[in-house]
Each structure stands twice: as C-alpha cells, then as structure tokens.
Amino acid sequence: QVQFVESGGGLVQPGRSLRLSCTNSGRSILSFDALGWYRQAPGKQRELVAVVTRGGSTNYTDSVKGRFTISRDSTNFFLQMSSLKPEDTAVYYCNSAPSGVDEYWGQGTQVTVSS
C-alpha cells in the first residue's frame, strides 16, 4: 500500500522548534515531481504550507516564510519549524504537491504550540 507516514510532532512552547519527517511506505520519494507539507487546524480546511520540487526548489505560504524550511533526501523529506506560534497548531500531513493524492494521505502528526 502506498501511503505517506509522518512523524515528529508534539507539544512545544511558543518560540521553540520542531522537525517533522515524512517517508512513503510504497513508492520512492524520488519518484515525485514535488512534495508538500500540509496542515489542518480545527475547524479549518487543509492548507499547503511548503513545497519542495525534485530539483530542490522550495516555496512557502506567507504565514510560515522565514520560519519553516522544507528539505528532502533520497528516502525522506522534512519540515524544520522554528519560532513556532500558537496559530501553527494543527495536524501536519505530507503528500505530493500541489494537491496531494487521495489514497496517499497518512494519519498526520499533531503539532501543538502552547505555553
């Protein structure tokens, strides 16, 4: 079964950092043209927050620019989150970008930013 698996979430205080990791259980990370990190906060739609292409180009939604960094290697990709804010609280998912493949969605990893 092809599915993304996320890890690395947790409870952190505002201003701290977390690093999320993502791998795919049935398909090589290198086979995707672009990969993305998404998040869904309670009561809100899922949004795409960061993208990395096969060539290494990156793009971010305005609310995380300068604080989040997306990267990849041959088997995983990552989201380094710094200067976290309470509004970053959400379940974070990884998938292909820009829209994700329905059957590839994983369980996500919860990130909670609170003092």
Side-chain angles (χ1 to χ4, degrees):
Q1 181 180 2
V2 179
Q3 191 174 54
F4 284 98
V5 180
E6 304 89 354
S7 62
L11 171 63
V12 295
Q13 294 180 329
R16 302 299 292 269
S17 299
L18 274 178
R19 189 189 194 216
L20 306 184
S21 299
C22 175
T23 191
N24 188 289
S25 61
R27 179 178 166 184
S28 171
I29 289 291
L30 297 176
S31 70
F32 292 91
D33 290 334
L35 295 162
W37 281 97
Y38 302 76
R39 68 185 180 187
Q40 187 167 20
K44 295 187 177 181
Q45 289 188 329
R46 185 154 47 198
E47 65 168 335
L48 177 61
V49 297
V51 175
V52 60
T53 68
R54 182 180 291 160
S57 298
T58 59
N59 199 16
Y60 302 91
T61 193
D62 286 346
S63 62
V64 307
K65 282 181 181 176
R67 301 188 298 119
F68 289 11
T69 303
I70 189 170
S71 60
R72 64 186 295 173
D73 61 22
S74 60
T75 57
N76 300 276
F77 69 109
F78 309 95
L79 187 67
Q80 178 67 46
M81 305 186 294
S82 303
S83 302
L84 283 161
K85 303 176 180 180
E87 51 263 44
D88 295 319
T89 295
V91 179
Y92 283 72
Y93 302 87
C94 53
N95 206 320
S96 63
S99 58
V101 176
D102 285 347
E103 56 265 35
Y104 291 179
W105 292 108
Q107 296 299 309
T109 187
Q110 176 71 49
V111 172
T112 303
V113 185
S114 175
S115 55

